[in-house]
Amino acid sequence: MKKILLTILLTVVLCSAWYLSASAEDSQGKKLYNGWCAQCHGYDGDAKSYTDKFSVPKPRDFTMGTYKFRSTPSGDPPTDADITKIVRNGNPGTSMPPWTRFTDDEVKAIVAHVKTFAPDIFKDAGKPITIGTPPKASAALIAKGKELFNKAKCVECHGKAGRGNGEKGWQENFKNDWGDPITPANYTHPWELRNGSTVEDIYRTISVGLGGTPMTSYMDSLKDEDRWALAVFIKSLQEQRKLGVAIKIKKTVAIPAKVDDPAWDSVEYMDLPMGGQLMFEPRDFTPLITNVRVRGLYSDKEFAIMVEWSDKKPNNGADGKPADTVWIQFPQKVTEEAEKPYFFMGDKKHPVYLWNWKASDAGKVTEQLAKGYDNVADLPKQDVTVIAGYNDGLYRVVYKRALKTGTKDDFEVLPGKFVPFSIVAFDGQNGESGIKGAVSSWYYLMLEPATPLRVYVFPPLVALCVFVGGLSLSRSLRSKK
Amino acid sequence: MKKLVALMCMVMFLCVSAAAFAADKYEVVDVKDGGSIKGIVKTSGAPADPVLDINKDTEYCGKSHPAGMYVIGAGGGVKNVIVAVEDITKGKAAPKTDTVIDNHKCAFEPLVSIAYMGQKYIMKNSDPIFHNTSIGLILAPGKKRTVYNLALPNKDQTIEKPVKVAGLESVSCDAHSWMRAFVYATPNPYAAITDDKGAFEIKDIPAGKYKVKFWHEGFGEAVVDVEVKAGAAATLDHTFAKK
């Protein structure tokens, strides 16, 4: 009996190390993590995975112990609730999806496992900061926030209009803890704010910073009320996307001659969400242009389309990076049939015109005919003109063409008729050129038929007649009394 | 049987974790008749001190700045080398000294410093421009773990934070890419920085065999064995090879 016990004991001692790892392997958190998270974040939490080349930002490397999104002061680890929030809600605009399939206990187990990749930072639990009730936004508070935006030097990285184009945000050391380049946030695009876009989210980001990035913590240097004022001001810079399928182009007497003509600001616009070109090599898995805004005007003879997008760092091709570029695509034959050319550079049967503008030759547009991504020819015709400008993080390119050109096979733009168009845009700073860029799907533009004169003449005339008729009737009735 | 395995596992786990913990832990004891380590760090040839290009806030910061990376004294002594007895587990108490990191004239002062665990970092901005002080534990080339990243937008602003993370840390200002400094955060008091002549001295070390680490921003790292005898001074000179 003793012998048996001794043997058992020995076996146990010898195998305990193996058992230790085996039992860890059996933990629910690790099982779930290996099944659902490790494909991107790595089995060892080091983000060595299949997807690290195809995602910007990269999957988080947990072994580094840096957590970007925290509710805790600089120097403290995130709370379990912070990590749970990312697991549950995902991170919009990144490859991290929201995980709703897990029970609360399962998420708890996953969070516990994620923490084991950098156990030393979780020695002491982090204490979240208190986020009180946000003050009510008012013109005075926004003005105060704007003043602080300059005083606290937010402007130096984020730019005057908050588009992430401040000169200090563009230095060689602008990297995160993982050694990857990083850029200041563009406040005008709330959908790009990974730490959330509500006024509370902004207040939290200003207060504790973004872990492992140049976004620094202002908790010790700005008073609570000042951080709220800043948050309210930054919130006021956010643009809401106006989505749709067609943009109405209104008639005007004269199309503005400058891109920054204030007349453009009151023109109705439509936002086009952009995605990477993923159909042909080289593919763009990591586009940075997420939105293009389009608006237009037309006169008796011409129509103009303005394409507007945010670019934190303009490139004109002189700095070794490709020049920023934008194309607008139109089908060669505009019909109102359901069948449109292939949405990216057309196809053999359905060619598309490309109006190709490059920042390296900003006063020029090259007209091209594409019959597919690998079949593009410059056209000798020069019916389109362009004016372009870059101001405080924003590109504006205005294309102009006659409603009807004399060129054979060119499409005509008629009031009341829908014309399909799509946009392809390239960010040189992101190494985009050729066919590697951001694309939109097909949308429509339509010149709004001018209101006929009779609309202004007949209804008032009828109204007048009714009034006069009524008046005479009541008079005649009265006189009869 | 399963219970027995579980129990053994528990015991093993506790032992392992206790061992791991002990290596990180420093025990304060009364050091009587301790020895010391003194020496001079030299180089057989240093490159010229780099000049840092300044491209932001030039009206205040100027256009360039000597890096102060290679400060070589007479006889080849190297200034600003961190000398640390890393594997010491018991000894005298660490001094109650805080570590000041001043943003002054668009550079950090001092360039190299020692911080004691449990004491404070005092981060200061003496300039009329924005600085942020970002301290990060160096993990690998180009990789760090941010320990603190604090904004100092105004002149004479001061922020104090506890020294909680041990190891070699880089200090940077994201607004001015040329600004850098280094802090060695130590759990024990046995660390020093070489002076203008490259000399250092570490006192009151309990007798024993230790590994001493030399680290310099430009020359890199070297680990040298030393034996400290009670009441005696061990001489430990080190020469960094020509760069």
Side-chain angles (χ1 to χ4, degrees), chain A residues 100-250:
Chain A
T100 49
R101 59 176 299 124
F102 302 126
T103 64
D104 288 348
D105 283 342
E106 286 173 329
V107 172
K108 217 170 155 182
I110 292 167
V111 169
H113 185 65
V114 164
K115 285 163 69 178
T116 64
F117 294 125
D120 52 328
I121 74 150
F122 292 102
K123 267 187 305 199
D124 306 308
K127 198 169 165 273
I129 60 160
T130 314
I131 297 178
T133 319
K136 237 181 149 188
S138 67
L141 197 59
I142 289 173
K144 185 187 168 189
K146 187 173 183 175
E147 201 191 312
L148 283 160
F149 186 73
N150 292 314
K151 226 172 123 188
K153 312 289 157 60
C154 314
V155 64
E156 294 190 350
C157 286
H158 293 282
K160 267 184 240 140
R163 296 195 183 101
N165 58 313
E167 57 133 19
K168 288 246 174 75
W170 293 94
Q171 303 185 71
E172 51 195 306
N173 68 331
F174 244 65
K175 287 182 178 165
N176 60 21
D177 274 12
W178 296 270
D180 300 318
I182 190 164
T183 62
N186 177 355
Y187 302 140
T188 64
H189 289 180
W191 58 90
E192 289 179 20
L193 300 177
R194 315 245 195 266
N195 202 21
S197 58
T198 66
V199 72
E200 290 92 339
D201 292 330
I202 299 166
Y203 167 86
R204 192 180 61 245
T205 307
I206 297 167
S207 299
V208 304
L210 283 182
T213 79
M215 179 60 206
T216 183
S217 157
Y218 279 91
M219 204 145 113
D220 300 284
S221 45
L222 286 182
K223 282 184 290 185
D224 188 60
E225 59 191 77
D226 289 350
R227 277 175 275 138
W228 276 120
L230 254 178
V232 167
F233 167 67
I234 288 165
K235 177 78 190 165
S236 77
L237 296 172
Q238 292 179 3
E239 305 229 16
Q240 295 311 317
R241 278 206 259 212
K242 225 190 257 176
L243 303 175
V245 289
I247 174 92
K248 218 179 332 178
I249 293 182
K250 286 210 161 94

Side-chain angles (χ1 to χ4, degrees), chain A residues 37 39-42 47-61 91 93-97 176 178 180-181 194 278 283-288 430 436:
Chain A
C37 317
Q39 292 71 26
C40 291
H41 292 286
K48 290 206 172 75
S49 65
Y50 314 111
T51 57
D52 59 350
K53 281 175 207 67
F54 307 114
S55 42
V56 164
K58 285 183 184 175
R60 190 66 75 238
D61 171 356
N91 203 217
T94 77
S95 308
M96 177 71 183
N176 60 21
W178 296 270
D180 300 318
R194 315 245 195 266
L278 299 176
R283 297 174 167 90
D284 191 0
F285 291 101
T286 57
L288 293 184
N430 196 26
K436 188 183 172 191

Side-chain angles (χ1 to χ4, degrees), chain A residues 8-9 12-13 16-17 19-20 61 63-66 73-76 118 120-121 123 151-153 156 167-168 170-179 211-218 220-222, chain B residues 1 4-5 8-10 12-13 16 21 24 55-57 128-130 132-134 137 139 142-154 157-161 164 172-178:
Chain A
I8 291 172
L9 210 66
V12 165
V13 169
S16 48
Y19 258 102
L20 200 66
D61 171 356
T63 62
M64 300 273 294
T66 294
S74 182
D76 277 13
D120 52 328
I121 74 150
K123 267 187 305 199
K151 226 172 123 188
K153 312 289 157 60
E156 294 190 350
E167 57 133 19
K168 288 246 174 75
W170 293 94
Q171 303 185 71
E172 51 195 306
N173 68 331
F174 244 65
K175 287 182 178 165
N176 60 21
D177 274 12
W178 296 270
T213 79
M215 179 60 206
T216 183
S217 157
Y218 279 91
D220 300 284
S221 45
L222 286 182
Chain B
M1 185 61 214
L4 194 63
V5 173
M8 291 301 288
C9 288
M10 271 296 263
M12 281 288 285
F13 180 74
V16 168
F21 197 58
D24 208 33
N55 53 6
K56 304 280 181 242
D57 291 320
I129 57 170
F130 172 95
N132 68 313
T133 298
S134 181
L137 184 69
L139 300 178
K143 289 194 174 194
K144 62 173 183 173
R145 176 192 293 169
T146 299
V147 176
Y148 291 113
N149 181 357
L150 305 164
L152 292 159
N154 304 320
Q157 206 150 27
T158 299
I159 299 175
E160 297 185 358
K161 291 281 170 185
K164 290 198 291 191
S172 54
C173 167
D174 295 296
H176 306 106
S177 58
W178 66 89

